[in-house]
């Protein structure tokens, strides 16, 4: 496992109490960062989160789709840690498995609000400070579904395609400064998001992965750690596949 020096860095990880976000937050803290974990559910974080020294972690309950809540979380983070160097947008929901024709309108909108608006609002909060300090790393957790589209998952697929496009746009906007904006497009990982999906849909997604297994949160974290590090000083506006061979472009 590669080691990175995150001393003096402050990271915000949305959806950081569990799953991919928790794995990222724990490894960043282990590498020397102070980590602010923004999550809807901070009442039952994974043990790896509670094991982080209290001086190096901040748990903030926040609905990333709520602009006022994001602004309040950002203010609380700056008050505690003074700045934000790194943002990892991991908060997201899958929505139900359904054909587009039968997809509930209110659920469609909720998926877009959390996955797309949430990513936008968190980026909008941290970018001005990164620009002022001429340093920042932003990593958005997208999905292979955003590149290929999964049947019976139109809302999720569309939202992750939007995250990929947003990443590319923001990366170009900030390319003149020492700020890198990238995303990962993983295949399915064994996390709590699978609880929102039918067994048949999970089997379908597994069948599409040539590796024959789901990606692990630690494998995703390893990619995110490099993307969030000072070493990633050139690449921006890119989508990094973690698809086990599924991605075709």
């Amino acid at each position: 496992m590669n080691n990175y020096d995150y001393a003096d860095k402050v990271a915000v990880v949305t959806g950081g109490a569990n799953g991919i976000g928790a794995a990222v937050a724990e490894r960043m803290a282990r590498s020397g960062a102070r980590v602010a974990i923004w999550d809807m559910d901070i009442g039952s974080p994974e043990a790896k989160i509670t094991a982080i020294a209290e001086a190096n972690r901040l748990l903030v309950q926040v609905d990333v789709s709520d602009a006022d809540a994001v602004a309040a979380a950002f203010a609380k983070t700056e008050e505690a840690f003074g700045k934000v160097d790194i943002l990892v947008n991991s908060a997201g929901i899958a929505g139900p498995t359904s054909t587009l024709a039968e997809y509930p309108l209110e659920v469609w909108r909720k998926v877009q609000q959390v996955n797309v608006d949430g990513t936008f609002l968190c980026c909008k909060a941290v970018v001005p400070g990164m620009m002022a300090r001429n340093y920042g790393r932003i990593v958005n957790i997208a999905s292979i579904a955003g590149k290929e589209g999964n049947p019976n998952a139109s809302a999720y697929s569309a939202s992750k395609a939007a995250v990929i496009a947003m990443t590319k746009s923001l990366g170009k906007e900030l390319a003149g400064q020492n700020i890198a904006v990238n995303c990962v497009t993983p295949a399915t990982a064994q996390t709590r998001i699978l609880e929102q999906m039918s067994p048949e849909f999970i089997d379908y997604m597994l069948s599409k992965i040539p590796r024959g297994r789901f990606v692990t949160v630690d494998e995703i974290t390893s990619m995110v750690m490099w993307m969030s590090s000072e070493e990633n000083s050139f690449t921006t506006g890119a989508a990094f596949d973690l698809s086990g061979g599924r991605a075709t472009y």
Side-chain angles (χ1 to χ4, degrees):
M1 183 177 292
N2 292 324
N3 295 316
Y4 296 92
D5 183 5
Y6 276 55
D8 300 322
K9 294 292 187 289
V10 174
V12 167
V13 182
T14 73
N18 292 276
I20 296 170
V24 170
E26 186 276 335
R27 190 160 168 197
M28 285 188 170
R30 185 154 38 94
S31 299
R34 290 173 292 168
V35 183
I37 295 155
W38 298 2
D39 203 299
M40 279 283 286
D41 181 14
I42 61 171
S44 56
E46 291 184 17
K48 65 182 68 174
I49 296 302
T50 55
I52 299 172
E54 290 189 13
N56 295 329
R57 66 172 161 88
L58 176 70
L59 284 163
V60 185
Q61 185 171 27
V62 56
D63 176 356
V64 295
S65 68
D66 182 328
D68 291 337
V70 170
F74 178 67
K76 188 172 184 178
T77 301
E78 281 209 317
E79 180 181 358
F81 294 148
K83 60 176 181 172
V84 174
D85 301 298
I86 300 161
L87 169 65
V88 179
N89 281 304
S90 185
I93 58 174
T97 303
S98 172
T99 63
L100 184 147
E102 298 174 333
Y103 210 95
L105 178 59
E106 66 277 9
V107 181
W108 169 279
R109 288 174 173 164
K110 183 63 176 177
V111 172
Q112 310 314 312
Q113 286 167 354
V114 174
N115 296 356
V116 184
D117 294 359
T119 301
F120 164 77
L121 290 169
C122 292
C123 288
K124 185 176 176 64
V126 306
V127 162
M130 290 180 175
M131 293 178 68
R133 291 184 295 272
N134 193 37
Y135 185 85
R137 300 289 185 265
I138 296 173
V139 179
N140 298 321
I141 307 299
S143 170
I144 189 63
K147 299 182 71 174
E148 295 194 353
N150 284 332
N152 300 311
S154 56
Y156 183 76
S157 299
S159 72
K160 293 304 185 178
V163 169
I164 294 169
M166 191 189 313
T167 299
K168 292 179 177 293
S169 178
L170 184 58
K172 290 179 173 66
E173 289 179 17
L174 301 175
Q177 295 186 262
N178 187 15
I179 302 171
V181 186
N182 296 288
C183 68
V184 291
T185 57
T188 305
Q190 196 78 39
T191 65
R192 294 200 310 183
I193 202 168
L194 294 185
E195 297 172 4
Q196 304 172 38
M197 304 174 184
S198 69
E200 295 77 15
F201 189 72
I202 294 171
D203 290 341
Y204 162 79
M205 291 189 295
L206 181 60
S207 73
K208 297 286 287 183
I209 302 172
R211 284 282 194 194
R213 65 172 176 84
F214 294 133
V215 64
T216 70
V217 295
D218 289 335
E219 287 169 327
I220 296 171
T221 297
S222 291
M223 178 70 82
V224 172
M225 288 296 290
W226 174 78
M227 296 164 71
S228 302
S229 73
E230 291 189 32
E231 285 188 359
N232 180 25
S233 56
F234 185 71
T235 298
T236 194
F240 288 80
D241 289 326
L242 288 159
S243 71
R246 175 180 171 181
T248 55
Y249 75 96

